Amino acid sequence: MKYIFFVLFISQFGFSQSLYPQDYFRNPLDVTLVLSGTFAELRSNHFHSGLDIKTQQRTGLNVYAAAEGYVSRIKISHFGYGKALYITHPNGYVTVYAHLEKFSPTIEAFIKKKQYEKESYEIEVFPSPDELPIKTDEIVAFSGNSGSSGGPHLHFEIRDNAERPINPLLFGMDVKDTKRPIVTAVYAYPKNRQSHVNDIKTKKELRLIPNKNGDYSVEPIDAFGDIGFGVVSYDQQDLAYNKNGVSNIQTFFNGNKNFEMDFKRFSFDETKHLNRYIDFEIFKTEKSRVQKLFVQSGNTLSMLKDVSEEGYIRVEDSTSSVYKIRIQDFQGNESWVSIPIKGKKAKERLEGYDLQPAYYVQANESLRLEDKNISVFFPKHTFYDNFHIDFAVSSDTLILHKDVVPLMKNCVISYNIENYSEEDKSKLFIAKLYGYYKKPYYVNTTRQGDYLTARTKSLGTFTLATDSISPTIKPINFQNGKWLSKSEYLKIKIEDDLSGISNYRATINGKWILMEYDYKKDTLTYYFDDQVISDTENNLKVIVVDNIGNSSTFEATFFRK
């Protein structure tokens, strides 16, 4: 049976590869392709849209154009991709290079000119095809750790002409991987109250047994009715210890295929539905991503294939059956999980029901909840399911259920602050409380008259917080009144302990200068090769504002030849 499946996989794999040009795109680095992140692996609130290529724990490696084309987009932001470059190719595909340290000299000069014209570090431009043409093997940038990167690497993508990311390995790039995927947990999900697994009518983790041949089995279960299953798994490649995503998951019930998840391509519009694909509650409470091998309402992922009966199986009384899960990495290494099932009706018993909260959400209707000075508005289709929601107000603290239910849209939280003094009103913001000590974190807050409003895509506990302390600004590599002739850059540390940094502005002798903000290190850096200054005596002025509007000003004089 496995041999037949393997032959089918090889034929399908070869066919799918032939849809994409195999020798068109090169490795964008000179180093061996070793991945810290694979395509479409599960991330917080999204599927990973490319490959994270290791750069030997260094920054500054040459980044090459994967093929000829032209720079069609440059985006620089404090978060997300950081410094990112997009190249459009004659065959219609677009390659993306992100978390860069800097661009090649030609591209760097082009974008810095735009930044100085706009007087902004964060910028997005769309050059015309004739402005920045690119040749194959041309160095276009240098690898870095900018944006929301957790360490030095190159994020690399290939997108089609509809801006849908595609697994770059489908284009012939090779990664050494001879290891089977690892399975760490299996769950069973009775679909309704008429179904059960081992007399339990709610989800249940099953006892996973590793076999000597590298596959897995689950301790035999008694079940009845419509049952779904979920799995926790990862892939580990030969040259890296990272726990990466798998490439394909299929399920079979008594030899008949009833579900497939194929991680080859997706669109950015659908990536939010990852929170419906995984067991969101288990992720939030246990930090484990269970992939549900059945399809619930609202899960419209295009990566789903050959789904029969929504991926559920129907277990009849007095039957014996086998449910199998096949998990594959891109190179075709596979692991199997076998679940023997004995059909058995549950014993009749009286069920106890937990007391439910008083408020009820209808997923296809909007809902407004109000109490005292706080209101919450949910647009229709904010949630995937109808459910009882916990809503309670105590003083300025809002308990809005637990953060275990995924949202498709932002809900709107509003506070009436008319009972506060005018001075206090200007320092208030809406915060979400995290952790054991309920530490407040700023939620993007706007004020209109006596109302504060915040939009959030998560439930949890919220409160009003006050920020009356201005940001701090400290020089790192210079002192007031000193010479800086030998320095290549000027670096400053900026911090705000509560609401966070909102914006900043720096000038030398009254001229705006480009300072790069690294939020992970709380630094602003200006590079003298921008050639903005030509005077010997220079007056630096930096203004930093937090999200509430508290501001600090730093001034210093330095000398340079």
Side-chain angles (χ1 to χ4, degrees):
M1 181 66 75
K2 281 190 190 180
Y3 177 74
I4 295 173
F5 285 143
F6 179 73
V7 171
L8 286 174
F9 167 71
I10 291 297
S11 63
Q12 291 171 356
F13 178 71
F15 176 74
S16 64
Q17 272 194 316
S18 66
L19 296 175
Y20 305 99
Q22 293 301 288
D23 297 311
Y24 192 88
F25 295 113
R26 59 157 287 171
N27 178 348
L29 298 174
D30 277 334
V31 299
T32 301
L33 203 60
V34 180
L35 304 182
S36 60
T38 51
F39 181 81
E41 70 181 18
L42 314 181
R43 300 289 179 88
S44 294
N45 302 314
H46 68 282
F47 294 96
H48 188 231
S49 56
L51 303 179
D52 284 346
I53 306 174
K54 287 177 174 284
T55 56
Q56 302 172 341
Q57 300 180 335
R58 296 183 291 157
T59 61
L61 271 63
N62 293 342
V63 176
Y64 297 88
E68 68 172 336
Y70 69 94
V71 176
S72 54
R73 182 183 178 191
I74 306 171
K75 185 175 182 179
I76 299 177
S77 54
H78 297 141
F79 309 102
Y81 282 7
K83 294 184 178 182
L85 188 70
Y86 300 72
I87 298 177
T88 296
H89 304 279
N91 62 358
Y93 291 102
V94 176
T95 52
V96 183
Y97 315 76
H99 304 308
L100 302 170
E101 180 179 62
K102 59 182 178 179
F103 306 103
S104 67
T106 300
I107 300 172
E108 189 80 8
F110 176 90
I111 195 62
K112 278 196 173 183
K113 180 180 179 182
K114 301 292 184 182
Q115 288 173 305
Y116 272 95
E117 289 174 356
K118 189 180 177 183
E119 295 192 356
S120 174
Y121 172 72
E122 292 195 298
I123 195 169
E124 183 174 19
V125 298
F126 298 87
S128 62
D130 59 346
E131 285 187 281
L132 294 171
I134 298 296
K135 298 178 181 178
T136 304
D137 297 332
E138 181 176 340
I139 297 174
V140 294
F142 302 90
S143 67
N145 188 32
S146 60
S148 301
S149 169
H153 72 279
L154 174 68
H155 175 89
F156 176 70
E157 296 179 21
I158 298 179
R159 300 181 184 180
D160 64 15
N161 56 13
E163 282 292 302
R164 293 174 298 187
I166 304 169
N167 189 346
L169 297 181
L170 288 166
F171 294 80
M173 297 181 182
D174 191 37
V175 176
K176 188 175 183 181
D177 185 359
T178 60
K179 299 179 181 180
R180 293 180 173 206
I182 304 295
V183 179
T184 59
V186 175
Y187 286 78
Y189 292 80
K191 185 178 182 181
N192 48 45
R193 304 302 297 182
Q194 290 72 49
S195 307
H196 81 90
V197 172
N198 293 341
D199 288 334
I200 295 175
K201 298 190 175 184
T202 56
K203 64 187 172 189
K204 174 181 175 58
E205 185 173 3
L206 306 178
R207 182 167 174 258
L208 184 66
I209 305 169
N211 299 331
K212 291 182 179 180
N213 65 354
D215 290 329
Y216 302 82
S217 59
V218 167
E219 191 172 59
I221 62 173
D222 293 339
F224 180 80
D226 295 336
I227 310 295
F229 292 90
V231 65
V232 181
S233 64
Y234 65 89
D235 186 47
Q236 206 165 45
Q237 296 161 356
D238 289 12
L239 302 177
Y241 292 103
N242 303 78
K243 296 179 179 179
N244 294 330
V246 301
S247 182
N248 184 280
I249 302 178
Q250 299 176 11
T251 68
F252 305 87
F253 184 50
N254 292 332
N256 297 312
K257 183 179 176 184
N258 74 323
F259 175 93
E260 182 176 359
M261 186 71 169
D262 192 24
F263 300 96
K264 283 189 175 68
R265 183 183 70 184
F266 63 86
S267 69
F268 289 107
D269 289 341
E270 64 179 321
T271 191
K272 63 184 178 182
H273 294 305
L274 173 139
N275 288 335
R276 186 58 160 172
Y277 172 61
I278 66 170
D279 188 318
F280 190 76
E281 180 178 13
I282 289 179
F283 171 63
K284 283 294 185 176
T285 56
E286 302 178 22
K287 303 304 178 186
S288 177
R289 292 185 174 95
V290 181
Q291 301 184 65
K292 295 183 290 190
L293 310 179
F294 53 94
V295 182
Q296 296 170 293
S297 61
N299 182 354
T300 56
L301 292 171
S302 62
M303 292 178 283
L304 292 166
K305 295 171 59 179
D306 299 335
V307 177
S308 174
E309 301 298 328
E310 298 175 329
Y312 290 96
I313 62 169
R314 176 157 294 179
V315 181
E316 304 288 353
D317 189 32
S318 302
T319 60
S320 294
S321 51
V322 177
Y323 180 88
K324 288 181 176 287
I325 307 170
R326 179 172 64 180
I327 303 167
Q328 301 165 324
D329 62 25
F330 185 83
Q331 296 295 350
N333 304 301
E334 62 180 34
S335 296
W336 287 79
V337 180
S338 297
I339 306 174
I341 304 170
K342 182 179 180 180
K344 185 178 180 181
K345 283 188 175 181
K347 297 178 181 178
E348 293 296 329
R349 64 179 66 180
L350 293 175
E351 293 192 63
Y353 292 90
D354 295 333
L355 185 64
Q356 298 284 2
Y359 300 96
Y360 191 68
V361 174
Q362 297 273 7
N364 62 348
E365 296 179 6
S366 61
L367 174 67
R368 183 180 296 277
L369 302 173
E370 295 181 287
D371 189 13
K372 301 180 181 68
N373 63 322
I374 302 174
S375 70
V376 182
F377 176 70
F378 300 103
K380 63 180 181 180
H381 304 306
T382 297
F383 299 99
Y384 290 100
D385 296 312
N386 303 339
F387 73 103
H388 291 271
I389 189 169
D390 190 10
F391 171 81
V393 173
S394 176
S395 186
D396 285 328
T397 298
L398 164 66
I399 297 174
L400 193 58
H401 209 73
K402 294 181 179 179
D403 189 11
V404 295
V405 179
L407 279 67
M408 290 187 280
K409 298 179 180 179
N410 286 315
C411 66
V412 182
I413 300 173
S414 295
Y415 276 77
N416 185 326
I417 58 172
E418 62 184 2
N419 292 328
Y420 284 85
S421 69
E422 287 301 319
E423 181 179 357
D424 289 341
K425 289 176 184 178
S426 65
K427 304 300 181 184
L428 290 172
F429 65 94
I430 298 174
K432 185 174 180 180
L433 302 180
Y434 286 92
Y436 179 80
Y437 295 103
K438 302 297 182 183
K439 183 177 179 180
Y441 284 85
Y442 175 81
V443 182
N444 190 20
T445 304
T446 58
R447 179 185 173 189
Q448 188 169 8
D450 285 335
Y451 288 88
L452 292 181
T453 300
R455 297 177 181 273
T456 178
K457 213 172 184 179
S458 65
L459 304 179
T461 302
F462 300 83
T463 193
L464 283 183
T466 300
D467 185 356
S468 58
I469 302 174
S470 299
T472 60
I473 308 173
K474 298 178 182 178
I476 293 178
N477 70 326
F478 68 97
Q479 294 178 331
N480 185 37
K482 300 294 184 179
W483 285 85
L484 276 173
S485 298
K486 295 182 179 180
S487 296
E488 295 179 359
Y489 58 83
L490 184 153
K491 191 180 291 287
I492 291 173
K493 190 173 188 68
I494 62 173
E495 294 180 288
D496 188 81
D497 289 337
L498 194 50
S499 64
I501 303 296
S502 172
N503 59 72
Y504 61 91
R505 180 180 176 84
T507 59
I508 293 179
N509 300 332
K511 296 179 181 178
W512 183 86
I513 59 170
L514 176 64
M515 298 203 82
E516 300 190 7
Y517 177 40
D518 184 343
Y519 76 94
K520 290 171 289 193
K521 296 180 179 178
D522 297 317
T523 58
L524 293 176
T525 305
Y526 165 70
Y527 292 94
F528 287 114
D529 61 10
D530 284 2
Q531 298 181 346
V532 172
I533 61 175
S534 56
D535 298 331
T536 301
E537 181 177 344
N538 298 280
N539 298 308
L540 171 69
K541 184 176 182 180
V542 180
I543 301 172
V544 180
V545 183
D546 68 18
N547 281 297
I548 303 305
N550 302 304
S551 66
S552 296
T553 300
F554 172 84
E555 294 187 78
T557 299
F558 65 89
F559 299 91
R560 183 175 173 84
K561 288 185 178 179

